Amino acid sequence: MPLVNTTEMFKKAYEGGYAIGAFNVNNMEIVQGITEAAKEVNAPLILQVSSGARKYANHTYLMKLIEAALAETDLPIAVHLDHGDTFELCKSCIDGGFTSVMIDGSHLPFEENIALTKKVVEYAHAHGVTVEGELGRLAGVEDDIKVSVEDSSYTRPEEVEEFVGRTGVDSLAIAIGTSHGAFKFTGEPKLRFDILEEISKKLPGFPIVLHGASSVIPEYVDMINQHGGEMPGAKGVPEEMLRKAASMAVCKINIDSDLRLAMTATIRRIFTESPAEFDPRKYLGPARAEIKKLVKNKLINVLGCAGKA
Ligand code: G3H
Ligand code: 13P
Ligand code: ZN
């Protein structure tokens, strides 16, 4: 099966009341862990690449890894640019074989966000590529830039129809209280489901995207802290909130931090338990297995997309 864009998978997800997992990939073990899990439970997948991932691993290497995963799994897989910030970056990914891109103009004034997003949509659609836009601003860390809670803002429901209508985007990322990274809440986790509800009433049938949706799984945070790490107070989005979002208009749920935590926790544990170990396969292999376990659980028990490929 060739790589697919997100049109079909989002239509089915919306109608079926589940979400597609969009997992960030940076190296071979991450690609393998995610795609092996999806194969075992027959789930559609979005593998997403940030500009930082592209700088780290190189576009061609990542595409070849994903092509290999496609050949091994025969699943519907979309390759998506995560947080594209310029037309040129989006164009380069589209020309290089991505099937979906995000143009993130959420930091721009409304009219500028529309103009930039529309330009990307025109180019992408002419190449069969789907586009995600963003309105509202998440707190947290993206590409090494920290957005403070004061600079973050919820999506304004009164703006979404105009934004989607004038840009032609295929999906919309919104801000309802999630944030990037491992420190999402200082007190009790809270998401503005009322805003999501209002947006979905204004855009019936339209796929919504949730960024910053890692659960920051406590077992991994504990394992990191027990083996020399320092992540006190790390906290994520509870799984039941993600299940609720997936049953509503949210069709794509972005997960990166949980993959990082699973990998780091496993490697830290092995380094302290087996200090003489110096064969990378002996710690990267178990890290890959842990990512597979984590992704399998998300696909079956959180996103609800197992069996939907
Ligand atoms: O939204 C941010 C993602 O976790 C990607 O992070 O830019 O460090 O690759 P990155
Ligand atoms: P997390 O940091 O919660 O994993 O969010 C990832 C994300 O939104 C990527 O775009
Ligand atoms: Zn994001």
Side-chain angles (χ1 to χ4, degrees), residues 24-26 48-54 82-83 141-144 180-181 211-212 254-257 260:
N24 286 71
V25 295
N26 289 277
Q48 54 186 12
V49 173
S50 68
S51 66
R54 219 159 157 259
D82 189 27
H83 294 284
V141 185
E142 263 168 48
D143 246 334
D144 293 336
H180 291 110
H211 282 247
N254 284 12
I255 296 155
D256 187 3
S257 294
R260 298 178 180 197

Side-chain angles (χ1 to χ4, degrees), residues 10 22 48 80 102 132-133 171-175 207-211 249-254:
F10 284 169
Q48 54 186 12
H80 173 80
M102 174 188 196
E132 173 184 329
S171 62
L172 181 69
I174 61 167
I208 300 300
V209 177
L210 203 59
H211 282 247
V250 171
C251 293
K252 172 174 179 272
I253 290 191
N254 284 12

Side-chain angles (χ1 to χ4, degrees), residues 6 28 39 57 69 72 81 88 91 108 142 144 146 149 157 172 191 208-209 220 225 279 291 297 302:
T6 56
M28 183 186 78
K39 183 180 180 179
E72 289 291 323
L81 168 65
E88 290 69 28
K91 180 178 182 301
L108 297 171
E142 263 168 48
D144 293 336
K146 186 161 170 43
V149 176
L172 181 69
L191 295 189
I208 300 300
V209 177
Y220 294 135
N225 289 334
D279 178 348
I291 286 177
N297 177 56
V302 183

Side-chain angles (χ1 to χ4, degrees), residues 171-189:
S171 62
L172 181 69
I174 61 167
I176 58 167
T178 61
S179 60
H180 291 110
F183 300 87
K184 301 187 191 297
F185 304 99
T186 42
E188 279 307 297

